Amino acid sequence: MKGPTPEQVRDGRVAAGLTHAAAAALVHANIRSWQKWEAGERDMHPAFWELFCLKTAKAKPVKG
């Protein structure tokens, strides 16, 4: 399974109406990790993305 793009991470967070801190807390990560995922400085592991999608039901998992 492939992880999301930085744009998908940002768009998913915005669609869910969450701040960086709230989105990070939702998947048990720290805020700096979330910021790096959105900035494209680090790839988000697919497991974090899947958890985010399940908890928010706002974003779609990445197929691939």
Side-chain angles (χ1 to χ4, degrees):
M1 179 180 219
K2 182 181 173 188
T5 66
E7 294 78 19
Q8 289 171 312
V9 176
R10 182 192 63 244
D11 293 347
R13 177 185 59 78
V14 170
L18 299 171
T19 63
H20 288 109
L26 195 65
V27 298
H28 309 285
N30 63 54
I31 188 173
R32 189 65 189 124
S33 290
W34 192 277
Q35 291 168 333
K36 287 183 177 187
W37 293 331
E38 281 195 20
E41 296 172 19
R42 181 183 300 162
D43 291 336
M44 179 187 261
H45 190 280
F48 284 113
W49 184 241
E50 184 173 352
L51 179 60
F52 178 79
C53 292
L54 288 170
K55 287 189 166 188
T56 63
K58 298 279 184 183
K60 294 182 180 178
V62 176
K63 304 272 182 182

